Structure formats: C-alpha cells, structure tokens
Amino acid sequence: MLKEIFKPNPEFAKDALIPSMDAYWKLQNKAIEDYDGFWKDFADEKIEWLAPYDKVLDESDAPFYKWFTNGKLNVSNQCIDRHLETKANQNAIIFEGDKGDVEHITYAQLSQRVNKMANLLKNEFGVKKGDRVVLYMPMIPEAAYAMLACTRLGAIHSIVFGGFSSAALRDRIEDAEAKIVITADGAFRKGKPYMLKNVVDEALTKGAKSIEAVLVVKRNFEEITWKEGRDHAYNDLIDAQSDVCPFEAMDSEDPLFLLYTSGSTGKPKGVLHTTAGYILWAQMTMEWVFDLRKNDVFWCTADVGWITGHTYIVYGPLAAGTTTLMFEGVPTYPDAGRAWKMVQDHNITQFYTAPTAIRLLHKTGEDEPKKYDLSKLRILGTVGEPIDPHAWKWYYETVGNSKCAIVDTYWQTETGGHMISPLPGATAIKPGCATFALPGIIAEVIEEDGTPTPVGEKGLMCITRPWPSMIRNIWGDPERFKKAYFGDCKKEGKAVYFTGDGAMIDEDGYLTITGRTDDVINVSGHRMGTAEVEAAIDEHNAVATVAVVGVPHEIKGEGIFAYIVLKNPEDASEELKVAINKVIKAEIGAIALCDGIAFVPDLPKTRSGKIMRRILRSIVKGEEITQDTSTLEDPSIVAIIEGIVKES
Ligand code: PRX
C-alpha cells in the first residue's frame, strides 16, 4: 500500500459541495443525532413528491424496512419531466458508438423518446404497473429509454447483462415471470457486429413461457430470425406513438427494478429495489461523490446490465440533471487511446471505471493519456474491487495529472448506491482505502455479536442502520433475503445488514475493504458465485465433483480456477478442458470461463465431507499450506494436488 496521504486539491476544494471534513462531520453528526430528520431534509429537497409521505422510516417489520411510507412519486418524472423547464436543451445523454458515431440527446429529446417508448409498451403490449420487463440490451440509448419508460408506467425492469448466455437469461425471465423482453438485433464491438437476438430466441424456445412479446431495436441491421406474432420491430413502431404519456403516481415502496446477482449458494438472487429511497440516494451520491457542477459531463464506463450502470449511467446522473455519456464499444479499440480521446472530445469532467479497466488501459497504453487533453477532468472514480497501488498511482499521476481526486467507491448491487467513499473536496485519501461512510450511512466493522473489531484487525463490514436505497427483498424469496443479509450479524441483539465483505478500520478511522468472506469471487469487478460455476461444470458428463476458487489475475483482479475430479481419470485432456469451458459459456456466459483447470484424483475433504476450500485457494496461489490438514479424510491428497497444479 502507498503510505502517502493525498489531501484534496485546495483549488478544487474551495468550490466543492462538501468542502471540508468539518462539513462532512456536520452532516454525519446530524444523521447520528437525528436519523429521520437527516433523511427527511434531503427527501424534501430532492424529490418531487406527487403526494407527501407520512413516515420517514418504518422499522416495524424489520428487516423489511419501509422508507417514506405512502409518499407518491415517479422516477421518470424525477429524471426527466421536472428538468424540462430549465434544461430542455441541455444534453441528457451523449452517445458514442463503437465506430465513433456520436449522438447528442437533450432532455427535451429524451422526454419525447421515453414517452413514445412508454406508449409503445402500454398500447402495443399492454405493459402496466407491476409487470416485469426484461431488458437484454447493448449499450445504446434505447436501453436507457426502455428503463425510463418502464418507470413511467410503473413496470419493473430486470436487466440481464448482454454477456449472459441463453440459459442464464431464461432462468432470470422465469424467476421474474416477465411479460416481455426488450432486446436488439445486436450492436457493434471492436468494429464488428455482434448478436443478441439469437440468444433471446434460444432462451425462449426452451422455456420462459411467460413471455408474450419481444421488442427488437435494430442497431446493427444484421439478419436475424423473426417469429411472427411474437417479435416486434421497435424502429417500425416507435414513430407512430404519441410523445405524451402521463406517468403513474408510484408509491415510495413500489418496486422499481430487479437485478439478479450472485450469492455464495444457490441460484442468482433477484435483488429488489423500490422507488423513493433508491432514487433519492442515487441522486445524493451522484452529487456528493462526483461533486457535480453545472456543465459537467459524466462518464461511467460500466454496462447498464450491472448496478453501476443502473445507478451511475442512468438514474443518478439524470435525477441530478447532469449529462451522462453512454459508450457502446470498448475503451481500448481501435487503440489504447480510445478512452482518453473520448474524455478529450466530450470534455469529460468525471471518469468512473473499474480497477480491471485501469489495469488494462495501463498495460496496453501507459503513455496514451499524455497524448490527449484531459484537462477538464476533476474526479476519477473506481468501483467493484480493491484498487492496487500500482494501478492507483498510474491513474492518479498519468490520467489525473496529479490534480484529480480519486474516489474509491465501495458499494454493492444490494446497496443501490455508494456506501463508503472519499468526498473529493473533503477527504484526505489513502490509496487503496475506501475511507469513510458517506453521510447518513452507518457502517461499522464488527464481530458477529456486534462487538467492534479492534483497530487494524479484520472484521465484518456491516451497515448497522437501514438506509433508503437498500435492497428490500429477494424476488419471491423473503426467507432467503433474511438469511442472506440479516442472518450473520447482530448488534445489541438486533439483526444488522452484513455485506459479505471483510474490512479493517485504522487508527484514523479509515475503512479498508479486505474482500469477500464468503464463496463469492470478484472477476473483473463482477460477482461470481463459486456454487454457480460449479453447478455449470457439473453439467458436463465426465465430471464427478468440482470445487471452484478465485485465483489472482493480472488484469481481472481475480480469475476462476476449477479443481475437477473426473468420473474416469483417463478422460483428462486439454480437449476436455475446452469442452468444460464450453459448458460454462452455455450455462452462464463467457464472463465465467475458467482461467485454469486442474484434474485431480480427489478434493481435500474433512471426515464429514466438507471441502477445505482454503487449502485449494492456497495451492493455486502457490502459498505454503499453513492450515491444519490433520482433520482431512486423506491428508496426503494435498501434496498430490500441489504437484498437479505446479505442473499445469
Ligand atoms: O466485494 C465487494 C466488491 O464488489 C462487491 C459488490 O459487487 P456487485 O454487487 O457486483 O457490485 C459491484 C459494483 C458496485 C462487494 O461486495 N467491491 C465493490 N466496490 C469495491 C469492492 N471492493 C473493494 N473496493 C471497492 N471500492
């Protein structure tokens, strides 16, 4: 870890929204002393209420917390309509295509397109409040229109990342019992067309019977198969729609969207976010963490298929009335300077990405940032995994020219928005450290029984008070919700939210995230449950048992390594490894491909049959085995596996 501390640039801090730690503590102390009052002030200031709420926080059915009970609002109004009086001609979205094509979409245009899309969904497909709509979309503005059109009607969207396979898409459609899928023929990546519609077709032939219609946006105009009666062309239908579609008055606690994410056990969980609390925190964190100012152009490089894309490409920026950039392509194509050229061309003021992308950009083009004018940049953000000192230093010095604040934002799909992050005008930054909980967030490093973990030791990262944008439920599985998030830690006898991450607090009160404490691995900043990958590998006929662990990876942060016991050891071959990866691709998608596979005669199991994953993790990292192996059914297996891994 870099020992140096980086104080906020005074030039920048003087105009910042939260300009000092005193200002931070003023806010945080208000939250500590008067929690409801703190949130009430912001809810009243930020949200255009259609009907007032009667209670800030209802804890009577914990952990099913309710915020701003009986209030009425609409997120599409919050993100579009209420800005029209002052911002009609300001860019809401700037879109850059893979091939460099650029489109500027003003708030007035966004309004027209979202209203038309909402009318299309309503009039042609009967989409109404509470219906589930699955989006399987590329990074094109229509993805944002579709999200906002759903919120206008009160329909619940569930976006499935375009890298997921047809089987994964089908599972998510079936779990949510979605009524329609919105997709595209495909899009462009690295100069070439790629396809999405065929994946939807495949998902629907094998199940997903709830789907009544598929709405297809034509983007790359490649040939696609078409099922008459089920498939509908967006491009042919949209123009005829009226651009006036009144928005639904939604209850604060009406569902806003579902987003599936991996857990340590079982199938992916449909994380449910609701209306008022989510949009409030999306807007507040957008303003505070990125210190939003007039004329800013914000670029978050995530995909809309992940929570970062939901909150910081679409909802946060638009609720805050800023300009958000959407990019279809990859930041290293046609060359390693692409991202920096875009920062220059669009006058980007905040650039928000994942450490994995920073490592890739660094590796492929160390000096590329120097070729472009990046002088408009004020804030650089990172998200998704801890950032290593090497990447941090390059980001700070070469990209940020040693004058931009770096905000290392810690949060999760379940938290809806940032939880722990520096504030660019206030926090002195320790590289690799997420620093302090944001005002209003009560984050504590504790033991399972609620005792504070001593300074400098690893404990459990808990958010000990409910917050507005928190997960409300797991779709269709309230018991799993309680167990997964409120089953591990208690404070003063009351169940508190446990993130699944470990953390450490230092003598200055700074929080450092030390990584997951469960069997979830973090591949390129994306969560992957080992159980999910194991279930996919198990689908291959040759496999008897399998254990999957994370392995350090130069670019991805963590890669996936599988120890596989074959039914017939003689089947072991390089071809079989390829075939197993093919099964993973079909079951989950290319993001879950194994970086390494070792065929082993057995796994290290205790006498009760529990696989000792810690040993497997140590072996693949080449670490000395310090764990007690005497409890293993067959201790000699450890040396055998070590030998095989060394050889492979
Ligand atoms: O382990 C933490 C890690 O990513 C997990 C959340 O993953 P996901 O729900 O996919 O959301 C990713 C984008 C918000 C967390 O449990 N994580 C996220 N941000 C950081 C992080 N680890 C360290 N530092 C971060 N800044």
Side-chain angles (χ1 to χ4, degrees), residues 6-320:
F6 295 80
K7 294 217 172 102
N9 178 343
E11 203 33 39
F12 165 92
K14 70 179 183 355
D15 300 319
L17 210 56
I18 300 182
S20 65
M21 281 314 276
D22 283 349
Y24 164 83
W25 279 114
K26 205 169 158 209
L27 283 165
Q28 186 63 324
N29 285 333
K30 158 96 183 166
I32 292 167
E33 283 153 24
D34 175 14
Y35 201 58
D36 284 13
F38 172 90
W39 289 110
K40 181 182 186 312
D41 288 351
F42 285 107
D44 293 349
E45 180 194 328
K46 307 284 177 193
I47 291 187
E48 186 166 289
W49 294 102
L50 307 172
Y53 55 88
D54 46 36
K55 200 167 186 331
V56 173
L57 169 61
D58 177 357
E59 303 192 63
S60 59
D61 190 22
F64 299 96
Y65 297 102
K66 293 183 192 71
W67 283 89
F68 312 115
T69 50
N70 297 321
K72 299 276 182 284
L73 73 162
N74 182 283
V75 163
S76 139
N77 172 46
Q78 192 69 17
C79 291
I80 307 171
D81 306 48
R82 72 184 181 111
H83 299 314
L84 290 176
E85 210 172 299
T86 52
K87 296 179 191 252
N89 297 322
Q90 182 201 306
N91 288 325
I93 299 177
I94 300 176
F95 170 70
E96 179 159 326
D98 180 68
K99 296 181 175 179
D101 44 314
V102 172
E103 192 187 359
H104 292 87
I105 301 138
T106 63
Y107 273 92
Q109 287 166 324
L110 179 66
S111 168
Q112 282 161 0
R113 291 174 200 187
V114 170
N115 276 273
K116 277 173 176 274
M117 177 83 108
N119 273 326
L120 176 61
L121 296 179
K122 183 163 81 174
N123 300 333
E124 298 282 330
F125 309 112
V127 172
K128 57 183 189 317
K129 183 175 169 179
D131 285 345
R132 272 80 63 207
V133 175
V134 163
L135 273 59
Y136 190 68
M137 294 287 279
M139 283 289 293
I140 55 176
E142 285 77 5
Y145 307 159
M147 292 164 78
L148 291 158
C150 286
T151 70
R152 203 163 183 85
L153 300 173
I156 306 166
H157 62 66
S158 168
I159 309 189
V160 179
F161 170 60
F164 278 119
S165 70
S166 61
L169 173 61
R170 187 186 58 230
D171 287 349
R172 286 157 173 77
I173 292 172
E174 287 181 347
D175 191 75
E177 296 173 283
K179 180 169 174 166
I180 87 162
V181 179
I182 306 177
T183 188
D185 45 5
F188 298 98
R189 187 189 297 128
K190 294 190 180 178
K192 295 197 188 75
Y194 73 92
M195 305 306 291
L196 286 172
K197 167 69 164 53
N198 57 335
V199 185
V200 176
D201 290 339
E202 213 176 297
L204 299 189
T205 44
K206 292 184 195 146
K209 295 296 170 224
S210 58
I211 294 297
E212 294 167 13
V214 179
L215 181 62
V216 185
V217 178
K218 300 274 179 67
R219 164 68 183 155
N220 64 19
F221 293 90
E222 293 291 305
E223 206 174 307
I224 50 176
T225 49
W226 202 256
K227 191 166 169 190
E228 282 309 326
R230 185 197 70 184
D231 298 347
H232 304 264
Y234 167 89
N235 309 48
D236 296 342
L237 296 168
I238 198 69
D239 288 346
Q241 302 299 322
S242 149
D243 59 11
V244 179
C245 178
F247 51 78
E248 274 298 311
M250 301 298 289
D251 190 274
S252 294
E253 282 299 337
D254 274 335
L256 179 62
F257 65 80
L258 291 178
L259 183 57
Y260 284 81
T261 189
S262 296
S264 54
T265 53
K267 57 180 186 141
K269 306 176 276 199
V271 171
L272 174 68
H273 282 289
T274 58
T275 303
Y278 171 82
I279 201 66
L280 174 64
W281 192 235
Q283 184 179 332
M284 286 170 69
T285 50
M286 188 69 213
E287 291 172 353
W288 280 347
V289 174
F290 298 113
D291 195 56
L292 271 194
R293 298 180 194 184
K294 209 166 175 265
N295 301 327
D296 276 354
V297 185
F298 178 80
W299 183 14
C300 164
T301 69
D303 189 285
V304 286
W306 306 110
I307 191 67
T308 310
H310 283 62
T311 310
Y312 299 107
I313 293 179
V314 179
Y315 290 121
L318 297 178

